[in-house]
Amino acid sequence: MAKDGFGKDPERDFRELLDSSPDCVLVTDYDTHRYLYVNHTSCVMTGYGLQELLSMHVSELTLQSEAEIRETYERARQAGERGYTEEPQLLLSKDRSRRGWWESNLRFKVIGGQEVIVIVSREVTPRILAERAASRATKIYAALSSANEAIIHSSSSEELFQAVCDAAIESGGMTTAAMLMPAPGSDLMELQAMAGKGRDTMEVAVISTDPQRPEGRGLIGKAFRTGKPSITDDYLQDTRTTHWHTLVRDRTQIRSAASVPIIRHGRSVGALYLCSRERRAFDEEIIGLLVRMAGNLSFALQNFEHEEKRREAEERAHYLATHCGLTGLPNRNLLTDLLGQAIASVGRTGHRPAIMFIDLDRFKEINDAWGHDTGDGVLQKTSGRLREVLREHDVLARLGGDEFVVLVQNIDHQDHAVRVAEKLLAASKEPVVVEGQPFTVTLSIGISLYPEHGIHPTDLMKAADLAMYVAKDKGKATWALSGEGRPQAIQ
């Protein structure tokens, strides 16, 4: 054995050296694009035999066009000794059992007077997958950030759900994003918001939470039931999604999908559903980020609920401060505000308001004889009947006890106010029935007009109050106009 260099057959030794390389080494003719040499690794990785490869055209293996090959070879020639490195390509073996990403370096050489391209191709699948996973994670981080910003700025769950779906598409790189929640009293999931492709599919797809139904065995139903993410890396081959294969196959390009439950108080209240064109798009890191997103959504829903309760309490407090608890009519505070607004608008509209003070005649007798519960019923029935007589924009208010006030809008003449008073008196002639007992309640009405009897709310209210006592003292069941010393008879 020689001490230096190769043995007695250097060419054979050199071939064995190349065959032992983990990289594919191939030599092609520069002009014909035919393989002149391939090492053993090339045969193993491609699944083709040596003679098969040596009889092949480069385009048959790489699936590139003649024009693409010529352009690549020319770049290698221009690159000189440093060679030209192609972008990684996804290649399949002969029997399609092996699939991976390969990065090739091409160098132009003249060997024995023949122009050739020497190709050293290395599998970079782990690197490409890692880069893609990192890219996906970066996009989901961006989507998470956008979702968190939406939580801050959204004023409703509907607005938030749509913002999250939009973020998953625009920042997260997803193909489809949807938010679903169960319909009240049903096992069916309803679409709350969506972005991306497949809207026509999502709108007609039946999705259930019931595992006994085929519609409930998919990713969304399982995630909702278990409270854990549900994932598929091959949607159209997954038996859990069989029910939707026909619907999805011709309409979308789903490769992988995931559903993440929205948990509140330890139970599922909804599900975030995402689809991607890429296989294995939902690795452990991505799912972790989506779970964080779902947790933030749950927190936002809790805040919306607290805000809704606070707003309802505030509205209730305002209602109680401005309305009668028994009849639901405006009280003195609200009536004063509305009268002030009516007076302020006179200069703009030319329509004047009138005030009518109403007292229920002999109501105290009913209260004393039949009790407060019956008395309250009479007040409620009477107020409802008076409200029916008035126009929609007139205001009936209760000041307390058996005292009511009507703010009549748009009075152009005194006779208009009188006609309203007569309608109210006519309505009171029919008895109201409370717990099967009829009660006839007549009215005493005092009328004041703007501006004849006052230009301020307090002046008008006082004038109408005094006129009401005139009507009551002069026989009841009638009306009186402010400033008159005797009641006006009903014509």
Side-chain angles (χ1 to χ4, degrees):
M1 181 179 292
K3 294 181 180 179
D4 299 310
F6 289 102
K8 294 181 179 181
D9 190 348
E11 183 178 342
R12 185 195 64 190
D13 294 342
F14 186 71
R15 286 179 178 274
E16 288 181 358
L17 180 65
L18 291 179
D19 285 340
S20 68
S21 170
D23 299 332
C24 296
V25 181
L26 311 95
V27 179
T28 72
D29 183 88
Y30 180 81
D31 293 317
T32 65
H33 308 162
R34 293 273 177 188
Y35 290 107
L36 304 174
Y37 168 80
V38 296
N39 69 345
H40 179 68
T41 305
S42 301
C43 296
V44 173
M45 292 300 180
T46 63
Y48 290 96
L50 175 62
Q51 294 305 316
E52 284 183 287
L53 286 174
L54 292 178
S55 65
M56 288 174 66
H57 189 278
V58 171
S59 62
E60 294 178 77
L61 184 62
T62 64
L63 302 181
Q64 294 173 298
S65 67
E66 282 286 336
E68 289 173 324
I69 295 171
R70 282 195 297 272
E71 183 180 353
T72 301
Y73 279 20
E74 179 58 28
R75 287 178 178 174
R77 184 170 195 158
Q78 296 297 326
E81 285 300 317
R82 71 179 182 275
Y84 168 69
T85 300
E86 285 187 297
E87 289 294 320
Q89 290 181 286
L90 182 63
L91 300 176
L92 293 171
S93 62
K94 179 182 178 180
D95 62 1
R96 307 182 73 84
S97 63
R98 183 179 179 85
R99 182 173 181 268
W101 290 90
W102 292 81
E103 183 178 76
S104 299
N105 180 269
L106 297 84
R107 294 192 184 189
F108 175 80
K109 292 287 185 181
V110 178
I111 301 176
Q114 184 176 6
E115 294 180 337
V116 300
I117 294 293
V118 179
I119 305 168
V120 178
S121 189
R122 175 170 297 174
E123 186 175 12
V124 291
T125 302
R127 190 192 84 195
I128 295 299
L129 294 181
E131 289 174 352
R132 291 194 168 193
S135 176
R136 287 193 295 267
T138 299
K139 290 178 180 179
I140 294 298
Y141 268 114
L144 179 61
S145 177
S146 297
N148 289 341
E149 188 169 340
I151 288 173
I152 296 173
H153 295 100
S154 297
S155 58
S156 68
S157 58
E158 294 80 8
E159 183 181 350
L160 174 60
F161 290 162
Q162 189 59 54
V164 169
C165 290
D166 290 341
I169 300 299
E170 297 167 7
S171 302
M174 294 291 131
T175 303
T176 303
M179 186 71 65
L180 301 98
M181 301 185 83
S186 171
D187 63 292
L188 298 180
M189 298 289 279
E190 290 184 335
L191 188 65
Q192 303 294 314
M194 182 182 171
K197 296 183 179 299
R199 178 174 294 276
D200 56 340
T201 301
M202 290 300 300
E203 288 179 344
V204 300
V206 177
I207 301 170
S208 171
T209 60
D210 184 356
Q212 301 304 315
R213 301 179 56 174
E215 298 91 343
R217 298 171 195 151
L219 305 181
I220 298 171
K222 183 177 179 181
F224 187 89
R225 288 193 306 275
T226 63
K228 297 179 181 179
S230 188
I231 309 151
T232 180
D233 287 327
D234 195 342
Y235 189 93
L236 291 177
Q237 297 300 320
D238 197 315
T239 56
R240 294 172 298 175
T241 59
T242 300
H243 182 75
W244 300 276
H245 285 177
T246 302
L247 182 64
V248 167
R249 183 177 286 109
D250 299 329
R251 302 193 188 192
T252 60
Q253 298 177 340
I254 297 177
R255 294 273 183 93
S256 57
S259 182
V260 181
I262 310 299
I263 309 294
R264 288 212 52 215
H265 306 305
R267 66 182 185 87
S268 297
V269 297
L272 175 62
Y273 179 61
L274 301 170
C275 301
S276 174
R277 291 190 184 93
E278 299 182 44
R279 286 191 174 89
R280 297 181 293 277
F282 300 97
D283 58 23
E284 187 174 341
E285 182 178 9
I286 299 296
I287 291 299
L289 293 173
L290 294 177
V291 169
R292 283 177 55 186
M293 183 184 292
N296 292 346
L297 280 173
S298 176
F299 176 76
L301 292 177
Q302 180 175 325
N303 286 344
F304 286 142
E305 183 179 297
H306 289 167
E307 176 60 21
E308 180 65 21
K309 289 181 178 179
R310 184 201 64 77
R311 185 165 54 247
E312 288 177 356
E314 187 176 83
E315 291 174 354
R316 180 62 179 167
H318 180 265
Y319 180 86
L320 293 175
T322 57
H323 289 76
C324 164
L326 176 64
T327 63
L329 298 175
N331 62 12
R332 184 185 295 272
N333 294 332
L334 182 54
L335 175 68
T336 302
D337 289 341
L338 295 174
L339 177 56
Q341 294 173 25
I343 292 173
S345 68
V346 171
R348 184 180 73 256
T349 66
H351 297 301
R352 300 175 298 163
I355 286 292
M356 297 182 183
F357 255 68
I358 301 174
D359 186 81
L360 306 190
D361 300 327
R362 290 181 287 274
F363 174 75
K364 186 176 183 302
E365 298 174 10
I366 296 174
N367 226 15
D368 292 343
W370 293 86
H372 291 289
D373 289 343
T374 299
D376 288 345
V378 170
L379 290 174
Q380 290 173 325
K381 290 292 184 69
T382 301
S383 66
R385 181 170 294 176
L386 297 181
R387 177 66 262 180
E388 291 175 358
V389 172
L390 299 171
R391 298 170 299 178
E392 184 177 351
H393 54 274
D394 293 332
V395 178
L396 175 65
R398 181 184 178 222
L399 301 190
D402 59 348
E403 292 185 328
F404 294 83
V405 176
V406 176
L407 165 59
V408 186
Q409 309 272 18
N410 306 339
I411 292 297
D412 296 323
H413 191 274
Q414 171 181 315
D415 291 344
H416 295 171
V418 171
R419 284 199 292 271
V420 173
E422 290 175 345
K423 287 182 179 180
L424 293 170
L425 290 169
S428 68
K429 290 181 178 180
E430 290 294 327
V432 296
V433 179
V434 177
E435 296 181 353
Q437 178 66 37
F439 296 93
T440 301
V441 181
T442 59
L443 311 178
S444 294
I445 304 175
I447 306 171
S448 66
L449 304 173
Y450 175 92
E452 291 92 331
H453 307 128
I455 59 173
H456 298 294
T458 52
D459 296 335
L460 288 171
M461 298 275 281
K462 183 177 181 180
D465 192 14
L466 293 174
M468 182 269 292
Y469 281 107
V470 172
K472 187 172 285 290
D473 290 343
K474 299 299 181 177
K476 301 181 176 64
T478 188
W479 57 266
L481 192 65
S482 177
E484 295 184 2
R486 58 184 176 83
Q488 303 294 309
I490 301 177
Q491 302 297 321

